Each structure stands twice: as C-alpha cells, then as structure tokens.
C-alpha cells in the first residue's frame, strides 16, 4: 500500500503512514520490508524517521549494505554529510551518485569504487 500511495497516487503522507504501520505490525525485522521503508521514508522527506528506525535495528541489519546506503542518504538529507561518509561501502552500484552528492568535484570517486558502465 505504501508503494502504491507513493508511486501511483503521489500521496507521500499516506505512504509514510502505511509503511510505518507495516513496520510496526512486523514482529521480526524483515530486510525486504525495511528496504521498502527506507526507500519510502527517504523519498518522502522523512529521513529522520528512517534514522530513528535504523538505530533500533539488530546489528546484522545495520551492517546491510543497501540499508546503510539509505541511511547515508538520510544523513545527507538531515544535514549530516560526515555521518553519511562513514557509511559508504564498496560494491554498491548507487555509490557513485551518493559520492557525487557528498563530495562533488572536491574528491573524485576512487577507481576501485567506480562500478559505472559508462561515464555520464
């Protein structure tokens, strides 16, 4: 429901409400649901809610690369780029976009982290 609210109805408030309720109803943290929650919350200008939720996750989920990426994005949205920089990991294909937003022309993406098929 949250994805439908966000992507089809463009109802960001409804999306946030639905995903928060889904997470609340889930007895055991579920990576798939958390990925959707991170996507929706960071995409609906509710990065602070994602950061609060992330801080309550078990360590194994806090070490998940994709969840860390969303957490880095959330930190950037909340004006904490230093926190975001601590979470960047090798192997994430979205890394180049996050790196560019964090560093701009100040620091080019290192070759060992560049997984782009072509330069834009």
């Amino acid at each position: 429901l949250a994805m439908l609210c966000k992507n089809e109805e463009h109802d960001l408030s409804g999306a946030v409400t639905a995903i928060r309720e889904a997470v609340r109803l889930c007895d055991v943290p579920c990576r798939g649901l958390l990925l959707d929650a991170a996507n929706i919350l960071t995409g609906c200008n509710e990065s602070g809610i994602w950061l609060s939720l992330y801080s309550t996750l078990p360590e194994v989920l806090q070490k998940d690369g994709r969840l860390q990426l969303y957490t880095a994005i959330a930190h950037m949205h909340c004006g904490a780029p230093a926190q975001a920089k601590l979470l960047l990991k090798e192997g994430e294909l979205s890394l180049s976009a996050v790196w560019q937003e964090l560093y701009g022309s100040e620091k080019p993406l290192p070759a060992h982290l560049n997984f782009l098929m072509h330069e834009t």
Side-chain angles (χ1 to χ4, degrees):
L1 290 175
M3 288 296 198
L4 286 172
C5 284
K6 179 180 179 251
N7 298 330
E8 299 298 324
E9 301 297 322
H10 307 290
D11 176 8
L12 302 186
S13 177
V16 169
T17 299
I19 200 66
R20 290 182 80 183
E21 183 66 6
V23 170
R24 186 187 71 75
L25 290 172
C26 191
D27 292 335
V28 177
C30 169
R31 181 182 182 271
L33 179 60
L34 291 167
L35 287 170
D36 286 344
N39 176 307
I40 289 169
L41 294 170
T42 58
C44 292
N45 301 315
E46 294 292 351
S47 290
I49 295 173
W50 170 248
L51 291 175
S52 293
L53 176 59
Y54 178 82
S55 72
T56 69
L57 297 178
E59 184 178 348
V60 67
L61 288 170
Q62 286 187 0
K63 290 183 175 183
D64 181 90
R66 181 62 63 153
L67 293 174
Q68 286 183 333
L69 173 66
Y70 280 114
T71 304
I73 291 167
H75 281 302
M76 289 187 327
H77 290 171
C78 291
Q83 291 298 107
K85 289 175 184 178
L86 295 174
L87 291 170
L88 290 180
K89 299 287 183 189
E90 180 177 352
E92 173 56 57
L93 297 179
S94 303
L95 179 63
S96 58
V98 174
W99 187 280
Q100 179 64 34
E101 190 171 338
L102 279 172
Y103 293 104
S105 61
E106 164 192 340
K107 188 174 180 182
L109 180 66
H112 73 281
L113 297 178
N114 189 344
F115 299 101
L116 296 174
M117 297 295 289
H118 55 82
E119 295 296 322
T120 56

